[in-house]
């Protein structure tokens, strides 16, 4: 067994349907018969199952991530194994991914803050426990029917981390998981990840910057028709300010996004807590009206 069949019972879980497939494995909706609740089961990719050392690292990492308790991070309930196949039982989040919610012209300003601040708070909580995400993207961020943000797959990307990046022309535009590849999704990776360097938590901040840019404008900051073009853009290009694409945005939001997207990690926010604080302060200033007054004065001075 590499993946379950619908209706199959695995330990005390009854598989109900397949929810999705990604580089981190296949995810199924299941019923926990013991606790009478619905859960999500994630089955690992075949290449991980066949490598005992990677399996051991997976178990250690999953135990660390399972210790995270935060309202904006999906909870891992347990790490299980059946017939030699390991899987994760975790909280089921019913809602839509952020990628499904971002319109072509970006989200409303109020919604940006409603989603971005919990995202930054989740990343802060994980970083404070020494856990990086390494694959932050809209597809890994769920928004429930109640509007609550839940970040998926914290720490799991590290399990498939590889030390080198192959020739850019061989990279998929989706998630990279093959041996010898940098792990992540090309369009959301930090420059240091693409260069094959060992990333620290500031790589997550770069990825958050890309997500923020997309939330605000509806576009990704680094474009290309092929993986090679996207990689080249991330490594070399300075994207247009998000406030140029959507002029009604406050200028300080543009500065926050720009700082997240600095090529040099030393020039970014050094912690997710710092980014979260900046977003919270800006939201309060917007609610008080002072930000737009300052922006109006700046535009008037430029006209003069």
């Amino acid at each position: 067994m590499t993946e379950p069949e619908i209706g199959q019972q695995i330990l005390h879980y009854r598989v109900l349907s397949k929810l999705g497939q990604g580089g981190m494995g296949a995810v199924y909706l299941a019923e926990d018969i013991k606790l009478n609740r619905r859960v999500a089961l994630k089955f690992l990719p075949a290449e991980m199952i066949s490598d005992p050392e990677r399996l051991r690292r997976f178990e250690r990492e999953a135990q660390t991530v399972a210790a995270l308790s935060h309202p904006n991070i999906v909870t891992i309930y347990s790490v299980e194994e059946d017939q030699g196949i390991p899987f994760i039982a975790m909280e089921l989040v019913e809602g839509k991914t952020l990628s499904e919610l971002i319109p072509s012209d970006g989200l409303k300003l109020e919604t940006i803050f409603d989603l971005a601040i919990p995202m930054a708070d989740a990343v802060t909580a994980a970083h404070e426990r020494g856990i990086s995400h390494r694959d932050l993207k809209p597809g890994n961020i769920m928004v429930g029917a109640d509007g609550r943000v839940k970040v998926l797959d914290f720490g799991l990307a590290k399990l498939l981390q590889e030390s080198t990046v192959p020739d850019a022309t061989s990279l998929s535009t989706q998630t990279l998981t093959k041996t010898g590849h940098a792990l992540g999704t090309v369009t959301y990776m930090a420059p240091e990840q693409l260069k094959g360097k060992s990333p620290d938590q500031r790589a997550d901040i770069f990825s958050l910057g890309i997500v923020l840019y997309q939330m605000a404008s509806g576009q990704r900051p680094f474009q290309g028709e092929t993986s090679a073009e996207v990689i080249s853009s991330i490594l070399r290009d300075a994207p247009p300010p998000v406030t140029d694409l959507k002029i009604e945005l406050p200028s300080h939001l543009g500065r926050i996004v720009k700082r997240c997207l600095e090529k040099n990690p030393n020039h970014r926010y050094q912690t997710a807590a710092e980014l979260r604080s900046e977003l919270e302060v800006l939201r309060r200033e917007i609610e008080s009206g002072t930000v737009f007054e300052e922006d109006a004065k700046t535009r008037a001075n430029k006209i003069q």
Side-chain angles (χ1 to χ4, degrees):
M1 182 190 77
T2 56
E3 287 189 20
E5 297 180 359
I6 306 304
Q8 179 179 354
Q9 183 169 328
I10 302 172
L11 301 182
H12 54 93
Y13 303 101
R14 181 178 293 112
V15 178
L16 302 178
S17 64
K18 188 170 185 177
L19 296 176
Q21 176 80 44
M24 303 304 293
V27 182
Y28 288 79
L29 171 65
E31 179 186 4
D32 184 335
I33 299 169
K34 279 187 177 180
L35 298 178
N36 192 28
R37 65 179 176 184
R38 298 204 301 173
V39 300
L41 303 182
K42 181 182 285 288
F43 289 81
L44 305 180
E47 61 265 28
M48 180 180 289
I49 295 171
S50 61
D51 186 332
E53 176 56 31
R54 292 171 81 181
L55 270 178
R56 283 192 291 272
R57 287 194 291 116
F58 160 74
E59 291 173 353
R60 290 196 300 269
E61 188 74 15
Q63 288 168 359
T64 301
V65 178
L68 283 175
S69 178
H70 191 276
N72 301 117
I73 296 176
V74 169
T75 302
I76 291 179
Y77 295 138
S78 62
V79 180
E80 308 277 10
E81 183 177 320
D82 186 46
Q83 300 179 49
I85 304 299
F87 61 92
I88 302 168
M90 58 189 182
E91 175 187 6
L92 175 67
V93 182
E94 297 185 276
K96 294 184 177 180
T97 64
L98 183 57
S99 58
E100 296 176 284
L101 296 175
I102 300 175
S104 59
D105 60 346
L107 296 165
K108 294 180 180 179
L109 187 59
E110 180 181 358
T111 305
I112 292 172
F113 288 105
D114 286 344
L115 301 180
I117 290 174
M119 283 163 43
D121 198 43
V123 175
T124 297
H127 285 183
E128 288 175 348
R129 297 293 296 269
I131 299 170
S132 297
H133 194 291
R134 305 193 188 204
D135 194 23
L136 284 167
K137 57 186 177 183
N140 274 336
I141 299 164
M142 294 289 296
V143 182
D146 60 355
R148 176 172 289 185
V149 173
K150 291 279 189 176
V151 183
L152 309 175
D153 285 349
F154 249 109
L156 300 185
K158 182 180 178 182
L159 304 172
L160 297 176
Q161 180 187 1
E162 304 297 343
S163 60
T164 60
V165 180
D167 181 73
T169 57
S170 70
L171 293 177
S172 162
T173 57
Q174 302 301 318
T175 305
L176 308 177
T177 57
K178 295 181 181 178
T179 301
H181 287 201
L183 180 78
T185 303
V186 168
T187 45
Y188 297 93
M189 289 174 72
E192 59 269 28
Q193 289 176 285
L194 292 171
K195 292 177 181 177
K197 297 180 179 179
S198 180
D200 59 24
Q201 295 172 347
R202 293 172 296 181
D204 281 348
I205 293 173
F206 188 92
S207 299
L208 276 176
I210 297 178
V211 175
L212 284 171
Y213 192 106
Q214 190 172 352
M215 290 169 65
S217 69
Q219 302 178 32
R220 291 193 304 269
F222 306 106
Q223 301 287 332
E225 295 183 3
T226 67
S227 300
E229 290 176 357
V230 173
I231 291 168
S232 178
S233 181
I234 292 173
L235 293 176
R236 298 180 178 86
D237 295 344
V242 73
T243 47
D244 285 0
L245 301 180
K246 202 169 177 181
I247 59 175
E248 64 267 30
L249 291 172
S251 59
H252 189 54
L253 180 61
R255 289 194 292 271
I256 289 174
V257 174
K258 181 178 184 295
R259 187 173 176 190
C260 289
L261 295 178
E262 290 285 351
K263 311 292 186 192
N264 186 335
N266 293 327
H267 297 161
R268 295 175 206 150
Y269 293 104
Q270 297 301 287
T271 66
E274 188 181 1
L275 170 59
R276 178 193 61 195
S277 177
E278 284 277 295
L279 290 168
E280 288 173 337
V281 169
L282 178 57
R283 178 163 66 175
R284 289 196 296 270
E285 291 176 347
I286 288 171
E287 290 171 348
S288 70
T290 57
V291 164
F292 290 112
E293 290 175 5
E294 292 174 1
D295 282 355
K297 289 178 182 178
T298 300
R299 284 194 291 269
N301 291 334
K302 287 182 179 178
I303 294 172
Q304 293 174 0

